[in-house]
């Protein structure tokens, strides 16, 4: 099964591996006996689904969630069922990959025009003369 990330990018469900661990938080005694927290592992470094540009940016964005081997680990423990935590972890990974796939706009550096520079200097001198007019001048 494919997980759609962007219109041109999709992940194969087989690339994700889940393990379930005991979760803390609400749930009473159930929390101590049922492993409901989902831990998702995604090998981003060796994923055939990701282009190289997206892969490098993804590992940078993942930060401490990525291991040295390029495996991204996401732990979801917000919900009380395994299924909801599994879906939460998958959605969080998809959002992270969407951020990595987003191509940033190239900024063309520009300079202020000659007229803009002149208007700036005129405004500064006008302001300076206003402030100088406020000072007291004593003539002896």
């Amino acid at each position: 099964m494919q997980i759609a990330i962007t219109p041109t990018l999709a992940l194969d469900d087989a690339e994700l591996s889940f393990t379930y661990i005991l979760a803390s938080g609400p749930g009473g005694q159930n929390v101590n006996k049922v492993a409901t927290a989902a831990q998702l592992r995604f090998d981003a470094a060796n994923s055939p689904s990701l282009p190289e540009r997206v892969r490098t940016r993804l590992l940078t964005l993942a930060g401490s969630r990525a291991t040295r081997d390029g495996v991204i680990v996401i732990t979801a423990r917000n919900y009380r069922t395994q299924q909801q935590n599994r879906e939460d972890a998958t959605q969080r990974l998809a959002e992270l990959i969407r951020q990595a796939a987003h191509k940033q706009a190239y900024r063309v550096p520009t300079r202020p025009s000659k007229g803009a520079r002149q208007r700036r200097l005129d405004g500064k001198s006008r302001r300076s003369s206003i402030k100088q007019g406020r000072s007291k001048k004593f003539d002896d």
Side-chain angles (χ1 to χ4, degrees), residues 36-38 79-86:
T36 56
Y79 300 101
R80 291 179 65 168
T81 65
Q82 281 185 354
Q83 187 60 31
Q84 285 178 310
N85 283 327
R86 181 183 175 115

Side-chain angles (χ1 to χ4, degrees), residues 18-37:
F18 288 94
T19 53
Y20 298 99
I21 55 177
L22 292 176
S24 61
Q29 292 177 357
N30 195 47
V31 125
N32 299 325
K33 54 187 179 177
V34 180
T36 56

Side-chain angles (χ1 to χ4, degrees), residues 54-127:
V54 175
R55 178 179 293 120
T56 54
R57 189 154 151 69
L58 176 63
L59 290 172
T60 305
L61 284 175
S64 62
R65 291 176 283 191
T67 64
R68 286 192 197 128
D69 302 329
V71 177
I72 296 175
V73 180
I74 295 176
T75 304
R77 60 181 76 208
N78 295 336
Y79 300 101
R80 291 179 65 168
T81 65
Q82 281 185 354
Q83 187 60 31
Q84 285 178 310
N85 283 327
R86 181 183 175 115
E87 289 169 8
D88 181 40
T90 307
Q91 289 303 318
R92 285 169 40 196
L93 176 67
E95 184 56 38
L96 191 65
I97 296 172
R98 255 184 233 107
Q99 286 177 2
H102 183 264
K103 198 170 191 175
Q104 292 180 324
Y106 178 71
R107 183 190 176 278
V108 179
T110 58
R111 287 182 154 171
S113 65
K114 189 174 182 179
R117 283 194 299 258
Q118 189 60 46
R119 284 190 298 274
R120 178 179 154 270
L121 293 176
D122 289 346
K124 284 169 76 77
S125 61
R126 195 175 317 113
R127 193 80 193 137

